[in-house]
Amino acid sequence: MKKDFLFKEIINLKGVGPQLSKYFKKKRIEKIKDIILNLPYSETDRSQIIKLNELEIGKIQSVKVKVNKLSFPRIRNLPNKIICEDETGKIDVIYFNSREGYLRKLFPVNEWVIISGKVNYFNKKYQITNPDYVTSLDKQEYVIKSIPKYNLTKGINEKKYRSISETVINNLPEIDDWLDESFIKKNKLVGWNEGIKKLHASGDSKNNKSNSYRRLVFDELCANFLTLSQNRQRIRKKKYPKKFDKNHSDLIIKKLPFKLTNSQKNVFDEINADLVSNNRMFRIIQGDVGSGKTIVSLLSIINVIKSGYQCALMAPTEILAKQHYLLSSKLFYNNNLKIDFLTGKTEYKKRKNILINLENGNTELLIGTHALFQKKINFKKLGLVVIDEQHKFGVKQRSDLAKKGGNECDVLLMSATPIPRTMMMSLYGDMDISKITEKPAKRKKIITLSKPEKKIDELWPFIKKKISNDNQVFWVCPLIDESSFLDYSSAKKKFEYINKKFPGKVGLIHGSLEKEEKEKILKSFLNKDISILVSTTVIEVGIDFPNAN
């Protein structure tokens, strides 16, 4: 079948061996469809042939030159050099670790060639090191053009990937379109095959208003809606209504040091209505940081436990899960609940006891990280799963979690990520949505101020005063480039700068850190071992740092 071509392993392609397929796997490119859907994010303009006396250092440029001389040093580690010229000057083409025979074939002496690569300047002479393209004049149309630029990983160069990608696109079979032709015309879209070819061969992949780009977006949204619809049908099956009175949750509410907002009360009522209904709950609570989502979920948990079921509360990081564990232990202190805490780091003996208690029903509430849903973990009677900061998990994970608890398990998700309604429907069309829109009454007013970089010195006395009053500071360095390295280096420079002002009181966190190291730094900030936390935008939403104001 023609469609089978899309799902073939890329190792079946010419030029893709076991080593290259490993590199592709790092980019999650394993099947031919993954190459087709890996769209170019930019273009490299190689369309102009530049005279040697007009070259610009640091730019990718194309030149037409005559090969004068090939130099192959017999001393180890010295590069090979090809000396070329045009009527305006000379240029050295440098190669490291290249075979002599290969270069002699690529650069025939006294012949004209097209070379394209990044221009450097060394020893008062222009230089191109390991050029991207070298070709004869009769094949220059392959190089002298705007060439699509793909997001690649180490081990895959642009030339090799382009060759593989073009082989796939050029051999793409005419697949019968799943959209009716009249629908395509009416909505000003294009056929699937035509759209894919345009997205790879023109600037359409960067133009979100182009017909080919809109076609792919339509397909993705439509496929997502179909998946969500099936997911909803699978999950929202019949169940036995949970039976409880609200005495336990009402008693906890009365003892809280604050009053629930009307918004919290409404959401709690919606959850209770789901719990006592004949259909399984699959609901998400959306609300700003500090709006009180966690307390609503814990009140729901006590009702489910008192109706004779077990509950599970999962968070994406150990530090956030630990906070939930401490809060629930404090909140349910008078209810004599058996609460356990489980992460990937839980020692074997303790873990074994937890698993036994889960299976025999002694553990009523299990709190932890994604370790909660490993295959070996079995609940006796799981009635509610709560997932905090659920943006870390996709549609498949939501479906898998619902299966974990069987037909009687309700699912409640929480998210502090603000999402517009249309996008919310696209992402969570398989779920019911509850929103906490009010802030707690005693919450301090948030003051937003702005200062130009040149007045940064005016901040130090202010920060010093905050720290001396036992407060803490987040210093967030926002995304500055598509490069994660540049984002990290920006934060690192800022960290070094601030650490000179407040030595030993500053920590640094960024996306390149291992999970354990990240949690270690966050923990030291929570324990007030450091007063200022410099970070890229990877800091966790939802963690409670009461001293950071």
Side-chain angles (χ1 to χ4, degrees), residues 268-306:
F268 186 41
D269 287 342
E270 288 171 354
I271 293 167
N272 284 333
D274 283 346
L275 296 175
V276 299
S277 76
N278 291 310
N279 293 316
R280 291 175 67 193
M281 174 174 73
F282 205 48
R283 184 174 290 277
I284 181 167
I285 307 176
Q286 189 191 26
D288 196 4
V289 175
S291 61
K293 300 182 295 296
T294 305
I295 197 70
V296 171
S297 70
L298 291 175
L299 290 170
S300 307
I301 282 170
I302 191 68
N303 284 342
V304 173
I305 289 172
K306 292 305 176 182

Side-chain angles (χ1 to χ4, degrees), residues 8 19 36 39 71 127 215-216 325 343 387 426 428 444 457 496 522 549:
K8 281 184 179 177
Q19 187 58 48
I36 291 168
L39 302 179
S71 172
Q127 197 177 81
R215 169 60 206 260
L216 213 62
Y325 174 71
T343 71
I387 308 168
S426 302
Y428 306 119
K444 285 183 181 178
D457 286 341
E496 289 166 355
L522 284 171
N549 68 353

Side-chain angles (χ1 to χ4, degrees), residues 493-514:
K493 282 178 187 174
K494 195 65 76 176
F495 162 74
E496 289 166 355
Y497 183 54
I498 300 168
N499 200 42
K500 287 176 184 176
K501 303 282 182 185
F502 304 96
K505 294 186 177 181
V506 190
L508 171 65
I509 189 170
H510 53 85
S512 303
L513 282 178
E514 292 293 325

Side-chain angles (χ1 to χ4, degrees), residues 212-451:
S212 49
Y213 189 93
R214 289 176 63 246
R215 169 60 206 260
L216 213 62
V217 170
F218 177 86
D219 281 10
E220 192 171 328
L221 285 172
C222 203
N224 197 49
F225 278 127
L226 289 170
T227 305
L228 293 174
S229 175
Q230 286 186 325
N231 208 31
R232 191 177 180 90
Q233 285 176 18
R234 271 200 308 271
I235 291 166
R236 289 186 64 82
K237 291 179 178 175
K238 295 292 180 184
K239 63 159 193 190
Y240 289 111
K242 292 182 170 63
K243 295 177 181 178
F244 55 87
D245 58 52
K246 288 174 65 181
N247 291 342
H248 298 283
S249 57
D250 286 345
L251 198 60
I252 291 171
I253 291 169
K254 282 178 185 177
K255 291 184 177 180
L256 290 173
F258 54 85
K259 284 187 177 182
L260 294 184
T261 62
N262 289 328
S263 203
Q264 285 175 302
K265 290 174 186 175
N266 292 338
V267 170
F268 186 41
D269 287 342
E270 288 171 354
I271 293 167
N272 284 333
D274 283 346
L275 296 175
V276 299
S277 76
N278 291 310
N279 293 316
R280 291 175 67 193
M281 174 174 73
F282 205 48
R283 184 174 290 277
I284 181 167
I285 307 176
Q286 189 191 26
D288 196 4
V289 175
S291 61
K293 300 182 295 296
T294 305
I295 197 70
V296 171
S297 70
L298 291 175
L299 290 170
S300 307
I301 282 170
I302 191 68
N303 284 342
V304 173
I305 289 172
K306 292 305 176 182
S307 65
Y309 290 88
Q310 294 168 297
C311 293
L313 171 56
M314 184 175 80
T317 62
E318 186 177 335
I319 192 167
L320 185 52
K322 189 74 172 180
Q323 283 194 348
H324 289 327
Y325 174 71
L326 295 172
L327 176 61
S328 58
S329 299
K330 186 179 175 182
L331 198 70
F332 300 141
Y333 179 76
N334 293 324
N335 295 91
N336 298 317
L337 299 187
K338 171 64 175 161
I339 306 172
D340 277 321
F341 181 67
L342 181 69
T343 71
K345 294 178 186 175
T346 305
E347 58 186 51
Y348 177 76
K349 191 176 179 182
K350 193 172 182 181
R351 178 189 175 86
K352 192 177 177 182
N353 287 333
I354 290 171
L355 298 190
I356 292 168
N357 284 327
L358 278 178
E359 287 193 40
N360 62 28
N362 286 342
T363 295
E364 293 164 293
L365 172 58
L366 181 64
I367 298 174
T369 57
H370 60 277
L372 270 60
F373 293 94
Q374 291 170 355
K375 286 183 180 179
K376 291 180 181 178
I377 295 171
N378 297 305
F379 295 81
K380 184 181 181 182
K381 195 179 181 185
L382 184 60
L384 176 65
V385 168
V386 179
I387 308 168
D388 195 8
E389 291 311 320
Q390 88 77 46
H391 62 278
K392 304 272 183 178
F393 311 98
V395 177
K396 187 180 183 299
Q397 285 92 338
R398 300 205 291 259
S399 181
D400 290 345
L401 292 173
K403 288 176 189 172
K404 186 80 180 177
N407 294 331
E408 301 306 310
C409 183
D410 292 300
V411 179
L412 181 65
L413 311 181
M414 297 188 283
S415 177
T417 309
I419 304 169
R421 186 180 178 277
T422 46
M423 193 178 287
M424 179 70 86
M425 294 305 294
S426 302
L427 294 172
Y428 306 119
D430 54 338
M431 305 166 64
D432 294 312
I433 300 164
S434 292
K435 288 193 174 188
I436 298 179
T437 53
E438 295 175 80
K439 302 287 193 301
K442 291 183 180 179
R443 187 171 173 178
K444 285 183 181 178
K445 185 182 177 183
I446 296 171
I447 301 167
T448 304
L449 304 170
S450 175
K451 269 196 183 295

Side-chain angles (χ1 to χ4, degrees), residues 110-123:
N110 292 325
E111 295 288 332
W112 288 81
V113 293
I114 300 291
I115 302 171
S116 188
K118 191 172 183 179
V119 179
N120 296 308
Y121 199 70
F122 183 72
N123 276 348

Side-chain angles (χ1 to χ4, degrees), residues 197-209:
K197 287 175 181 177
K198 278 188 174 181
L199 287 164
H200 284 273
S202 67
D204 277 11
S205 64
K206 304 188 303 295
N207 177 13
N208 58 16
K209 292 182 180 177

